[in-house]
Amino acid sequence: PGEPSSGGPAMVLLLSCSRMLPSLLQALHQLYYDPNIENKNLAQKWLMQAQVSPQAWHFSWLLLHMDKVPEIQYFGASALHIKISRYWNDIPADQYESLKSQLFTHITRFASGSKIVLTRLCVALASLALSMMPEAWPCAVADMVRMFQAEDSNVDGRARCLALLELLTVLPEEFQTSRLPQYRKGQVRSVLAQECSSVFPLLEQLLQQQDSPGFIKQKVLKCFSSWVQLEIPLMDCENLIQAAFTSLQDPELFDTAVEAVVNAISQPDAQRYVNTLLKLIPPVLGLQEQLRQAVQSGDMETSHGICRIAVALGENHSRALLDQVEHWQSFLALVNMIMFCTGIPGHYPVNETTSSLTLTFWYTLQDDILSFEPDKQAVYQQVYRPVYFQLVDVLLHKAQFPSDEEYGFWSSDEKEQFRIYRVDISDTLMYVYEMLGAELLSSLYDKLGRLLTNTEQPSTWQHTEALLYGFQSIAETIDVNYSDVVPGLIGLIPRISISNVQLADTVMFTIGALSEWLADHPVMINNVLPLVLQALGNPELSISSVSTLKKICRECKYDLPPYAANIVAVSQEVLMKQIHKTSQCMWLMQALGFLLSALQVEEILKNLHSLITPYIQQLEKLADETPNPSNKLAIIHILGLLSNLFTTLDISHHDDDHENNEVKKLPVQQGPNPVVVVLQQVFQLIQKVLSKWLNDAQVVESVCAIFEKSVKTLLDDFAPMVPQLCEMLGQMYSTIPQASAIDLTRQLVHIFAHEPAHFPPIKALFLLVTSVTLTLFQQGPRDHPDIVDSFMQLLAQALKRKPDLFLCSNLDVKAVFQCGVLSLKFPEAPTVKASCGFFTELLPRCGEIAPVGQVVHENGKVLLQAVLEGVGGQASRSLMDHFAEILFALNKHCFSYLSIWIKEAMQQDGFPSARITPEQKENFSQQILSRERVNKRRVKEMVKEFTLLCRGLHGTEYTADY
């Protein structure tokens, strides 16, 4: 692999290499200079193949000649790195030394040349060193240092120094990304950690030398930064960390020094060296003056960097430092420094980007304090509770919106970043509640009360909004039902002067967060409901007002009948005016569904009539029109409104929480379900719409969604609709098969197939859908993976709920079985998963359903063949557990057959993969048939191991997480 020598096979390779060189140069020229993108892509593809060819060992050196341009030299150096890192086993051991020597020579040659080529050559030598150490190259790092420190009159000393630093920097980086096997990685890591004794003294010396130029010191800090990630003991890094702290005063070195200090402090192993950590607190605290000056002068980069250092020390080592009780004051000083960073002046992300870095620290510190035993925890709570109350004030200040004028100048990206930042603050406040408890809510309530009742000093809306936002953050996730301040808060909300969209939004979301509390205190609903209904008419408050109304209607529905007429009237008005976007209209319909569920049947029907009639009239008009894109959207919108209304309109209260609603639960209603009444009234109209739009998957899906949502909500109450719906679905599916029709059929099978009264229409529909789908399979199902997926799920559901369907004389079980086998070979993972689900339901029925047993015994070998093909590499590795389920079921229900089938299948040459040996196949077959076959977990492990062997991945880095 070194530069070519004369004679023998090397000569042949050299000749082919010299013939290849013009093509290489032409391809490189195309890659870099040809404006045609197709030519570039072709050149790149060809060059990638060339890089891994045997000739690459030779042409790499030719491309590195000094008469070539840097782009060509770079390709040569990259090809060398690829060969060394990926094809190490191709290199004979007797060539190691010459390869090493050539790389050293070229690195020296390029020390004063192109920087990108030098870096690639250093990476190649680093890769060589990692593969050779420790046996073939015991003191690799010390040798590198010695080689470059040796006098070489041809190369400038400074250039040699930079080349050495580049090599030492890329060595740990190459180790982190190397493809070394796991056992070698541990071995090499410990060798490198020992070799730092050859590196760190050199780095210290270069940093301390007065005449070292800035660019050398920067390279030194980068090199140190790279080495500390090898888990070097923190005490061995102490001198260099202190030197990095000194470098923070130099603006030119600041960023690199920050990176070095943060990397050194953040390594997981550092917490073992508590004494060194304690020594680091004073220099970190010593940066406070520099931090304050940076904040005053608006130097965001400097404040950001110093904050990163303080947070790295606090966040990574809070437990270790809290444990040092005698040093509690110095750690508290560090905590206060981080508090300053959290509350750094200015609005995130426009005037500062630092405060967001600190939020995780507060989680970590709280977790560590609360993890102590009770006595110690009490002591720390005494010290840190005031700190956390201060944190709440700081966070709420940071969450405040800027002035309207300033906010108007923000870009949409800045506004979105600020929104996400406020969500992070909200999460932090919710977490802090665990530490501060009910006292936190009282504190917020007192501040809000003072703010709203102080007539002498009127407050800004931003201040009010932030306090409410704090309340909302906690109430959204914490049960505030027992809080004694919520009644006061509900009383204060109407006193808020809402002059602004952001404040109005937060008022709405706060009311929404308190909806469960309102359900327990219904007398207070009237305090806030008018605000919500008023907000519904404002398009700018669309999301907050509609989601809040939906929460109130869901949680408080039994207390809303007195307000129902008003809620329906306001909702109708905003729906007719088309104030809200589609998704909010759907939420509003869900809210009305919850609301109507608690009324008497006559009231429900009366409200439904007034609510739905305008839409039905519109739909009738649309049904007469010739299909076009705009009336399609209108039809889908109306069908969506009906679907969402029927999703939540449930007079039998299937979804109610029994504990909360037993007292309030209304008597069981008599007579037909209102939803069924409405569906029967509009059924013909829906059929009319369908007849014109049967070709359109989205319209068909919207129609099916109405019935699917209704079936899921009503369950048995949907029964009167079953016969006519089955008939309509059959007509739809026979004309144009669509997945949504099968999914609705599956719902009907799930809920009604076991009831004798409904079995005939469901059986007829099931047989029709099966027959049409089998015809589709004969024509070629590849274009319809969604239909195949849904069909497999339908078959599995039928076997689960009503296996008798497979006894029908006109059901071709063999054809269904063959379709299942064919579906296992689809490239779409969800379809294959659904097919596996079908077989895991089918195989256990071999004994009880004669037609199934007969088909499995006659065709099971074909199924096993398809499963083994999938395991052998045809299917995604993510599906192996599902294939294992089929093998497990075959084992359990067809063991005597399986033992014959697997033997026959495995006798085929190259099956299920050309990569495995007959011994490996035999071993797998024996494992699958062994006693362990009754353990599903073990069968899954066997399949995973076998698929890795089949794919040639066993024992490689790709299997680490598998």
Side-chain angles (χ1 to χ4, degrees):
E3 288 206 46
S5 57
S6 61
M11 197 65 196
V12 176
L13 205 57
L14 181 56
L15 285 169
S16 72
C17 176
S18 59
R19 282 197 294 270
M20 193 177 182
L21 196 58
S23 305
L24 267 169
L25 294 171
Q26 187 189 346
L28 284 163
H29 189 274
Q30 272 186 328
L31 180 67
Y32 290 119
Y33 305 114
D34 195 320
N36 185 317
I37 195 74
E38 281 184 28
N39 289 349
K40 278 181 184 292
N41 290 340
L42 280 171
Q44 186 172 24
K45 196 173 178 183
W46 187 83
L47 287 165
M48 284 169 76
Q49 289 168 343
Q51 276 186 320
V52 299
S53 69
Q55 289 91 334
W57 285 119
H58 295 273
F59 72 61
S60 300
W61 303 109
L62 298 175
L63 295 177
L64 281 164
H65 282 179
M66 298 311 277
D67 61 346
K68 301 286 186 286
V69 294
E71 291 90 338
I72 289 173
Q73 294 168 335
Y74 177 82
F75 181 80
S78 290
L80 271 176
H81 171 240
I82 286 169
K83 294 301 282 183
I84 292 168
S85 60
R86 295 191 199 168
Y87 301 93
W88 177 250
N89 293 334
D90 293 357
I91 309 173
D94 60 358
Q95 302 254 349
Y96 291 172
E97 284 305 316
S98 71
L99 183 55
K100 187 205 302 184
S101 166
Q102 286 294 333
L103 281 166
F104 269 123
T105 304
H106 276 78
I107 288 171
T108 308
R109 198 176 293 162
F110 277 92
S112 306
S114 166
K115 170 78 173 67
I116 56 165
V117 181
L118 173 67
T119 300
R120 267 351 263 164
L121 286 168
C122 288
V123 171
L125 181 56
S127 187
L128 179 89
L130 294 173
S131 297
M132 287 176 70
M133 65 173 58
E135 295 87 359
W137 194 357
C139 302
V141 179
D143 284 356
M144 290 173 187
V145 174
R146 196 166 48 253
M147 288 280 288
F148 282 94
Q149 282 182 327
E151 284 300 323
D152 186 330
S153 54
N154 299 329
V155 184
D156 166 50
R158 194 168 281 178
R160 266 187 298 115
C161 178
L162 277 172
L164 172 60
L165 287 171
E166 183 64 29
L167 178 57
L168 292 175
T169 303
V170 300
L171 184 62
E173 290 168 0
E174 180 66 7
F175 169 76
Q176 305 289 5
T177 57
S178 69
R179 300 180 174 210
L180 294 171
Q182 209 54 44
Y183 78 95
R184 282 273 297 135
K185 215 152 191 179
Q187 191 183 29
V188 173
R189 184 193 293 277
S190 63
V191 171
L192 283 173
Q194 288 162 14
E195 292 243 37
C196 78
S197 58
S198 302
V199 179
F200 283 11
L202 170 69
L203 300 184
E204 286 170 37
Q205 182 191 342
L206 288 169
L207 274 179
Q208 284 157 9
Q209 273 177 5
Q210 293 302 311
D211 59 343
S212 282
F215 62 88
I216 293 269
K217 288 184 174 179
Q218 197 159 51
K219 201 78 199 123
V220 168
L221 289 166
K222 277 185 180 164
C223 184
F224 172 53
S225 215
S226 180
W227 274 80
V228 291
Q229 292 177 63
L230 294 171
E231 294 175 21
I232 312 275
L234 192 65
M235 56 189 183
D236 294 347
C237 306
E238 212 175 301
N239 292 345
L240 279 167
I241 294 174
Q242 294 296 350
F245 270 111
T246 307
S247 303
L248 289 167
Q249 303 307 316
D250 183 340
E252 193 187 342
L253 302 178
F254 182 82
D255 289 345
T256 324
V258 167
E259 215 57 51
V261 173
V262 168
N263 284 344
I265 292 173
S266 303
Q267 52 171 313
D269 199 41
Q271 60 199 18
R272 289 171 45 206
Y273 305 96
V274 178
N275 288 333
T276 307
L277 289 173
L278 288 169
K279 284 184 199 171
L280 292 176
I281 294 179
V284 173
L285 295 176
L287 297 170
Q288 286 180 100
E289 187 49 42
Q290 191 179 353
L291 174 62
R292 284 198 182 86
Q293 284 173 5
V295 169
Q296 277 171 2
S297 62
D299 179 354
M300 284 163 71
E301 283 75 18
T302 300
S303 53
H304 195 84
I306 293 173
C307 172
R308 280 185 65 202
I309 291 172
V311 169
L313 184 57
E315 194 177 307
N316 288 294
H317 306 297
S318 67
R319 176 71 200 221
L321 293 169
L322 279 168
D323 269 329
Q324 308 309 305
V325 181
E326 64 278 16
H327 296 279
W328 70 272
Q329 284 171 306
S330 66
F331 183 60
L332 182 58
L334 177 67
V335 171
N336 285 325
M337 182 178 175
I338 295 172
M339 180 76 79
F340 176 82
C341 296
T342 305
I344 208 158
H347 287 288
Y348 182 95
V350 176
N351 317 108
E352 63 90 8
T353 54
T354 298
S355 55
S356 61
L357 301 177
T358 65
L359 297 180
T360 317
F361 164 74
W362 299 109
Y363 285 76
T364 308
L365 178 62
Q366 179 176 312
D367 283 346
D368 288 336
I369 290 169
L370 296 181
S371 69
F372 286 124
E373 65 278 4
D375 292 350
K376 197 170 183 182
Q377 192 185 124
V379 174
Y380 279 108
Q381 285 257 23
Q382 215 173 347
V383 175
Y384 284 99
R385 270 178 75 85
V387 172
Y388 272 85
F389 273 113
Q390 185 192 347
L391 173 67
V392 171
D393 290 343
V394 166
L395 290 177
L396 291 178
H397 182 72
K398 292 297 293 180
Q400 284 186 27
F401 280 88
S403 69
D404 294 337
E405 188 184 359
E406 194 183 333
Y407 193 62
F409 286 113
W410 284 20
S411 68
S412 56
D413 188 43
E414 286 166 342
K415 287 177 180 175
E416 177 59 10
Q417 283 186 55
F418 182 58
R419 185 193 66 77
I420 293 166
Y421 175 67
R422 278 172 49 101
V423 170
D424 292 340
I425 285 178
S426 172
D427 292 343
T428 312
L429 289 170
M430 184 261 292
Y431 205 76
V432 166
Y433 182 84
E434 192 186 347
M435 178 98 150
L436 302 180
E439 209 180 320
L440 172 55
L441 288 177
S442 303
S443 160
L444 291 174
Y445 173 65
D446 290 344
K447 285 180 177 135
L448 187 63
R450 283 199 298 276
L451 210 61
L452 295 175
T453 53
N454 187 345
T455 48
E456 292 168 24
Q457 269 189 313
S459 61
T460 62
W461 71 262
Q462 287 93 338
H463 200 165
T464 308
E465 190 278 336
L467 284 167
L468 265 184
Y469 186 67
F471 245 114
Q472 175 210 324
S473 304
I474 294 158
E476 258 174 352
T477 42
I478 308 288
D479 181 5
V480 294
N481 279 10
Y482 304 103
S483 166
D484 54 359
V485 302
V486 177
L489 174 65
I490 296 279
L492 281 176
I493 284 175
R495 299 184 61 156
I496 296 170
S497 166
I498 299 177
S499 55
N500 171 283
V501 170
Q502 284 91 0
L503 176 57
D505 258 338
T506 303
V507 168
M508 284 302 113
F509 285 128
T510 306
I511 294 170
L514 295 170
S515 56
E516 284 184 40
W517 184 91
L518 287 168
D520 288 340
H521 305 82
V523 71
M524 304 297 277
I525 291 173
N526 201 31
N527 272 39
V528 291
L529 187 59
L531 289 174
V532 179
L533 294 179
Q534 187 186 348
L536 272 185
N538 184 344
E540 289 185 295
L541 304 178
S542 184
I543 291 175
S544 60
S545 61
V546 174
S547 66
T548 296
L549 182 64
K550 183 180 162 186
K551 283 180 178 176
I552 290 174
C553 289
R554 186 181 64 216
E555 300 300 335
C556 312
K557 61 184 171 191
Y558 297 110
D559 301 296
L560 291 179
Y563 314 103
N566 195 16
I567 294 172
V568 172
V570 173
S571 301
Q572 254 184 301
E573 188 185 346
V574 299
L575 284 165
M576 284 295 118
K577 285 183 179 171
Q578 297 183 334
I579 283 173
H580 301 292
K581 289 184 180 169
T582 301
S583 51
Q584 276 72 56
C585 293
M586 302 305 157
W587 292 358
L588 192 48
M589 278 302 205
Q590 288 178 21
L592 295 172
F594 286 125
L595 174 75
L596 298 181
S597 301
L599 303 181
Q600 295 298 320
V601 171
E602 318 80 75
E603 284 294 307
I604 296 174
L605 285 167
K606 195 169 81 179
N607 279 293
L608 278 177
H609 180 72
S610 69
L611 189 61
I612 291 175
T613 301
Y615 293 111
I616 301 305
Q617 289 167 350
Q618 206 181 335
L619 196 58
E620 282 169 344
K621 190 162 157 276
L622 290 163
D624 289 329
E625 292 177 9
T626 310
N628 66 58
S630 68
N631 60 23
K632 170 184 165 176
L633 285 175
I635 287 169
I636 288 173
H637 181 74
I638 292 169
L639 295 174
L641 291 174
L642 296 176
S643 287
N644 280 279
L645 179 64
F646 298 156
T647 301
T648 53
L649 209 173
D650 177 17
I651 60 168
S652 54
H653 316 297
H654 293 111
D655 295 332
D656 281 350
D657 178 341
H658 297 299
E659 206 180 310
N660 286 352
N661 291 318
E662 263 176 14
V663 183
K664 298 177 178 177
K665 200 162 181 180
L666 302 174
V668 174
Q669 311 267 0
Q670 298 302 312
N673 189 294
V675 172
V676 174
V677 172
V678 173
L679 283 174
Q680 285 174 327
Q681 286 170 358
V682 299
F683 197 80
Q684 279 185 312
L685 174 58
I686 288 175
Q687 281 183 305
K688 188 178 177 183
V689 170
L690 260 182
S691 66
K692 285 200 175 179
W693 289 91
L694 209 47
N695 278 314
D696 193 292
Q698 286 174 294
V699 175
V700 171
E701 208 172 296
S702 300
V703 168
C704 290
I706 289 183
F707 294 106
E708 196 176 347
K709 302 269 178 70
S710 306
V711 170
K712 278 182 179 173
T713 308
L714 301 181
L715 302 175
D716 296 339
D717 291 352
F718 188 82
M721 295 290 300
V722 170
Q724 60 197 118
L725 182 56
C726 285
E727 191 183 339
M728 185 182 90
L729 273 174
Q731 289 166 356
M732 277 167 60
Y733 197 73
S734 306
T735 315
I736 296 176
Q738 301 209 15
S740 50
I742 306 184
D743 294 335
L744 181 49
T745 304
R746 189 176 84 243
Q747 281 292 337
L748 293 172
V749 168
H750 175 63
I751 293 166
F752 295 108
H754 61 285
E755 293 184 17
H758 303 302
F759 186 58
I762 290 203
K763 173 183 168 185
L765 175 61
F766 175 75
L767 292 173
L768 179 72
V769 167
T770 303
S771 164
V772 171
T773 311
L774 291 178
T775 309
L776 193 74
F777 265 89
Q778 286 165 1
Q779 294 162 355
R782 272 302 303 118
D783 295 336
H784 308 285
D786 55 337
I787 291 179
V788 175
D789 183 343
S790 295
F791 181 55
M792 289 297 132
Q793 290 187 54
L794 170 64
L795 294 173
Q797 186 68 266
L799 286 160
K800 207 181 287 184
R801 298 292 288 177
K802 194 69 176 171
D804 295 3
L805 286 165
F806 278 72
L807 286 167
C808 301
S809 56
N810 45 353
L811 179 72
D812 189 341
V813 179
K814 182 177 179 181
V816 167
F817 184 91
Q818 287 168 337
C819 289
V821 171
L822 196 59
S823 308
L824 285 176
K825 300 178 183 182
F826 268 49
E828 291 83 4
T831 307
V832 179
K833 185 178 168 184
S835 312
C836 291
F838 160 58
F839 283 114
T840 42
E841 289 295 338
L842 182 84
L843 294 169
R845 310 287 177 189
C846 284
E848 64 190 78
I849 302 174
V852 170
Q854 186 183 344
V855 166
V856 171
H857 297 155
E858 288 171 5
N859 301 274
K861 185 182 169 186
V862 185
L863 169 62
L864 177 67
Q865 184 105 356
V867 169
L868 291 174
E869 279 173 18
V871 174
Q874 296 294 316
S876 160
R877 270 165 51 200
S878 64
L879 294 163
M880 290 308 111
D881 279 356
H882 303 286
F883 282 119
E885 297 264 5
I886 298 180
L887 283 173
F888 181 77
L890 280 168
N891 237 325
K892 193 171 180 181
H893 304 285
C894 319
F895 178 68
S896 54
Y897 288 92
L898 178 64
S899 50
I900 299 163
W901 295 336
I902 200 165
K903 194 173 182 182
E904 290 174 1
M906 290 299 197
Q907 280 171 352
Q908 302 168 76
D909 284 343
F911 180 86
S913 161
R915 287 192 177 91
I916 50 170
T917 63
E919 292 77 24
Q920 288 170 326
K921 290 203 272 188
E922 178 62 25
N923 182 35
F924 176 66
S925 304
Q926 285 177 356
Q927 277 186 318
I928 285 291
L929 300 170
S930 70
R931 284 184 189 169
E932 286 193 294
R933 68 177 189 272
V934 296
N935 182 333
K936 193 184 284 188
R937 183 180 57 78
R938 272 297 293 132
V939 172
K940 286 180 179 180
E941 286 171 5
M942 293 170 200
V943 169
K944 279 184 180 179
E945 188 144 335
F946 188 60
T947 197
L948 293 174
L949 288 168
C950 290
R951 294 163 199 261
L953 296 174
H954 199 270
T956 68
E957 60 176 315
Y958 298 105
T959 66
D961 301 323
Y962 185 56

